[in-house]
Amino acid sequence: MTGIDTPMQRIATTDDLSARGLERFDAIIDVRSPSEFAEDHLPGAINLPVLDDAERAEVGTHYTQVSVFEARRMGAAIAARNIAAHLASALVDKDKRFKPLVYCWRGGMRSQSMATILAAVGWKTTLVEGGYRTWRRQVSTALDDQAPLPVILIDGQTGTAKTRLLHVLAARGEQVIDLEGLANHRGSIFGHFADIPQPSQKAFESAIWCALRDLDPGRPVYVEAESRQVGQRRVPPRLWAAMQAAPRIEIQATVHKRARFLMTAYPDLPRDTEKLVDAIDGLRRFQSRSDIERWLEMARTGDFEALAAALVTAHYDPAYDRARKRDGEAVKRAVLSTGSLSDEALEDLADQVLAIRPA
């Protein structure tokens, strides 16, 4: 009886998870369960689970209650079925030049089983040494050790189009960190998006690091003046310290203009009265009962612009002033007043911002 020897591709390992290092691969495959992937993952990764959440729990129960051997046999059988399904679906169109990077939680059996089969197909397969934990460790270390950046804060009271101004600056090629965009939250009790949940804290930190790591430290980095917490996510300590020490450019506009702008910044609220009412109810510990009832009536009758003006005047402006007093005056302050928050006016504001150079 004769056989045919087909050499399997060698499985390489790497811990270079820089943007350039990851660009070498055609796909980054996270073989962890969907819930692990949802909490955080390498940038650009796709989720091809070797074990889904229920299967992982079942194998774990066998591991602790039956035997290690039985758990491994069960896990191997499930993994083989799942990997076969991925080969027949997500990976079915990959040619022989396909170069995947594979990882699991710590570079253990799940990623090794996937990598072994992919290499047997003939693909040049690489494993992340140490798995996701290597990425998490690199992100945490980088955020802790990040060299000071030349941050300039775009400041101003609620409704002064700070986030929109950041987007104008970014479109012009300026360096911008949009914390609200990374946190999927507009930074107030009304700020969550009903159809887009906030990322986990780990995923928020990963997104911040991906935004920070390629910035030029010789150029300004524009960041909106936020509180330490954006929704339920906290700004990492080193970045927060840089923001507190940064010079600020304050945008000023009338209450009327700000209320009108908020109608465009929060278009979901007028369409979802229940969400709006719930958010107003969340202000009861800060505001008088009479104000809350008046605002609820405005929400129910659709008097949204008047409601925005009332919230700005009675709640957000005083809160902003208290925060400024608590945090102390900025290192340097420039004030830009505008009679409009239209797209054209924001272009003009961007010109004025860029004309201000840090000392």
Side-chain angles (χ1 to χ4, degrees):
M1 185 175 182
T2 61
I4 300 174
D5 272 343
T6 304
M8 185 174 71
Q9 287 278 359
R10 184 177 71 85
I11 300 173
T13 62
T14 185
D15 63 358
D16 179 6
L17 304 181
S18 65
R20 182 168 296 180
L22 294 178
E23 286 172 358
R24 297 184 291 123
F25 301 99
D26 297 320
I28 303 166
I29 300 175
D30 185 324
V31 303
R32 298 175 302 158
S33 66
S35 64
E36 292 173 286
F37 180 83
E39 183 180 26
D40 189 29
H41 51 265
L42 271 64
I46 60 173
N47 188 208
L48 301 181
V50 165
L51 302 174
D52 66 23
D53 292 304
E55 292 161 348
R56 185 167 172 247
E58 184 181 9
V59 171
T61 299
H62 253 66
Y63 191 94
T64 57
Q65 297 182 7
V66 181
S67 76
V68 173
F69 173 76
E70 289 297 334
R72 287 177 175 168
R73 178 160 59 184
M74 171 187 287
I78 297 172
R81 290 197 299 270
N82 288 339
I83 294 171
H86 297 320
L87 286 168
S89 56
L91 303 176
V92 71
D93 63 341
K94 307 303 180 186
D95 64 25
K96 63 183 180 181
R97 295 167 295 181
F98 181 54
K99 294 185 297 183
L101 177 68
V102 179
Y103 71 95
C104 62
W105 170 246
R106 57 183 180 183
M109 294 181 66
R110 287 183 291 175
S111 57
Q112 289 174 20
S113 62
M114 173 71 92
T116 298
I117 293 177
L118 298 189
V121 171
W123 289 322
K124 187 176 180 181
T125 304
T126 303
L127 278 169
V128 175
E129 186 175 344
Y132 166 79
R133 293 198 304 179
T134 296
W135 168 253
R136 178 61 189 167
R137 184 167 57 250
Q138 290 182 6
V139 169
S140 297
T141 300
L143 291 177
D144 287 343
D145 297 342
Q146 174 70 38
L149 289 168
V151 171
I152 297 176
L153 290 187
I154 302 299
D155 201 357
Q157 292 178 310
T158 298
T160 49
K162 301 183 292 294
T163 302
R164 195 78 58 85
L165 178 57
L166 280 185
H167 294 169
V168 172
L169 291 169
R172 294 190 181 192
E174 297 300 318
Q175 297 190 136
V176 166
I177 300 173
D178 180 5
L179 290 172
E180 292 188 0
L182 297 178
N184 288 337
H185 200 281
R186 290 166 295 203
S188 73
I189 197 168
F190 299 90
H192 74 281
F193 297 94
D195 54 342
I196 308 176
Q198 284 202 265
S200 71
Q201 182 64 32
K202 289 180 180 179
F204 181 48
E205 292 170 7
S206 287
I208 289 174
W209 173 235
C210 288
L212 286 173
R213 62 182 176 179
D214 293 326
L215 294 181
D216 180 353
R219 296 173 56 210
V221 180
Y222 295 96
V223 183
E224 183 174 344
E226 299 281 359
S227 64
R228 175 68 188 274
Q229 193 158 305
V230 186
Q232 298 300 312
R233 302 296 164 249
R234 290 178 67 80
V235 177
R238 195 69 178 263
L239 177 57
W240 176 242
M243 290 170 62
Q244 287 185 301
R248 297 169 182 246
I249 298 174
E250 182 181 345
I251 310 302
Q252 291 186 345
T254 65
V255 170
H256 171 70
K257 296 297 183 184
R258 290 155 57 200
R260 178 156 293 183
F261 175 79
L262 287 171
M263 298 297 295
T264 66
Y266 291 76
D268 49 314
L269 292 180
R271 295 195 298 264
D272 190 345
T273 304
E274 183 178 349
K275 176 184 174 182
L276 181 57
V277 166
D278 287 344
I280 294 171
D281 275 331
L283 297 176
R284 288 189 181 277
R285 62 194 179 103
F286 304 108
Q287 301 296 331
S288 68
R289 180 176 179 180
S290 60
D291 279 345
I292 294 294
E293 295 306 319
R294 180 165 57 89
W295 297 341
L296 288 173
E297 182 62 22
M298 289 179 180
R300 294 187 182 107
T301 59
D303 197 0
F304 299 121
E305 191 168 327
L307 172 60
L311 287 167
V312 159
T313 303
H315 180 72
Y316 283 105
D317 284 0
Y320 173 88
D321 292 338
R322 289 193 299 271
R324 180 192 292 176
K325 184 176 181 180
R326 181 184 66 245
D327 294 339
E329 286 301 313
V331 175
K332 170 187 167 186
R333 182 178 298 277
V335 178
L336 302 179
S337 296
T338 179
S340 171
L341 294 169
S342 67
D343 291 343
E344 295 78 9
L346 291 177
E347 292 289 346
D348 181 62
L349 278 174
D351 289 336
Q352 296 180 59
V353 166
L354 295 177
I356 299 168
R357 298 298 176 189

